[in-house]
Amino acid sequence: MSHSSYELKAEARERVGKGSSRELRRNGLIPAVIYGDKQAPIAISLNTNEVTKRIHAGGFMTTVATIDVNGEKISVLPKDYQLDPVRDFTMHVDFLRVSADSKVTVEVPVHFINEDKSAIKIGGVLNVVRHEVELHCPANDIPEFITVDLTGAKIGDSLHISHVKLPAGVTPVITDRDFTIATIVAPAGGLAEEGEAEA
């Protein structure tokens, strides 16, 4: 299960556009929008410090939150946020409305375990192809990460999505192939052996 849910207080925005967004930011607020679930989008403003704290705490994009908009509580999943390229503060956030039976698409980080029980212990190198995997998940049950067990993996082995035990109701977005998450390769110094084989 993902990070624990949290609640943010928001106010509906009457005015939208660059001018009003700049004014909000000057007042310590972030413009945001809630959309989806076949309902009209709602423009809102949120406390900058609260949102920034949530982003930096980790798991922001995979945690369902409740936004209290003038007393109406809406379940949402952050879908995108923009940071100022120079000053690194949050400029805008997009939230997707979710309900108990919503399915969402999220990028979930990959964790690797048991490196000491694989060829990495004798000098093999773990070459990570995908640090995150895009998954379809129930909105209220998004995994915080998926785990790849490296036990018994040898040099030259590829670890595919089929090696991963996904939680119930969670499926990869890519379904037309058993895609590679990581490979175990010989260390760079292992090239001398190839040269000898050619001679």
Side-chain angles (χ1 to χ4, degrees):
M1 184 62 188
S2 190
H3 290 77
S4 57
S5 188
Y6 57 90
E7 186 170 304
L8 293 170
K9 286 227 177 281
E11 286 187 19
R13 286 189 291 146
E14 299 302 318
R15 290 167 46 226
V16 292
K18 281 200 168 116
S20 67
S21 294
R22 272 200 296 271
E23 189 181 328
L24 282 173
R25 289 187 200 106
R26 273 200 300 274
N27 294 324
L29 299 169
I30 296 173
V33 67
I34 300 172
Y35 65 94
D37 214 18
K38 301 181 181 69
Q39 295 180 49
I42 307 173
I44 58 169
S45 59
L46 296 161
N47 179 293
T48 302
N49 292 342
E50 281 292 310
V51 175
T52 304
K53 196 165 71 185
R54 293 293 171 189
I55 290 171
H56 291 301
F60 182 67
M61 301 296 283
T62 56
T63 304
V64 173
T66 302
I67 295 187
D68 181 337
V69 185
N70 304 345
E72 182 194 354
K73 293 187 187 278
I74 304 169
S75 286
V76 297
L77 182 69
K79 284 309 282 178
D80 194 22
Y81 62 90
Q82 283 127 9
L83 295 176
D84 181 282
V86 179
R87 289 173 291 172
D88 198 36
F89 66 84
T90 313
M91 303 269 295
H92 186 271
V93 186
D94 290 341
F95 293 100
L96 178 68
R97 252 189 215 94
V98 295
S99 54
D101 54 359
S102 294
K103 284 280 251 186
V104 293
T105 303
V106 289
E107 296 259 334
V108 175
V110 179
H111 288 189
F112 296 91
I113 60 169
N114 294 324
E115 291 186 12
D116 58 332
K117 295 178 182 169
S118 70
I120 294 167
K121 189 174 183 180
I122 56 162
V125 177
L126 180 66
N127 177 29
V128 179
V129 178
R130 292 175 186 267
H131 291 277
E132 294 182 322
V133 174
E134 200 172 16
L135 301 171
H136 293 302
C137 314
N140 58 359
D141 202 11
I142 299 168
E144 198 172 326
F145 54 84
I146 59 172
T147 304
V148 177
D149 188 345
L150 299 173
T151 302
K154 298 185 270 312
I155 287 174
D157 282 359
S158 291
L159 302 149
H160 300 96
I161 189 65
S162 60
H163 289 95
V164 179
K165 187 174 182 340
L166 294 173
V170 175
T171 56
V173 170
I174 299 170
T175 55
D176 61 344
R177 64 188 188 279
D178 189 13
F179 58 87
T180 304
I181 294 177
T183 57
I184 295 189
V185 295
L191 298 175
E193 295 158 8
E194 290 172 25
E196 288 160 19
E198 284 168 16

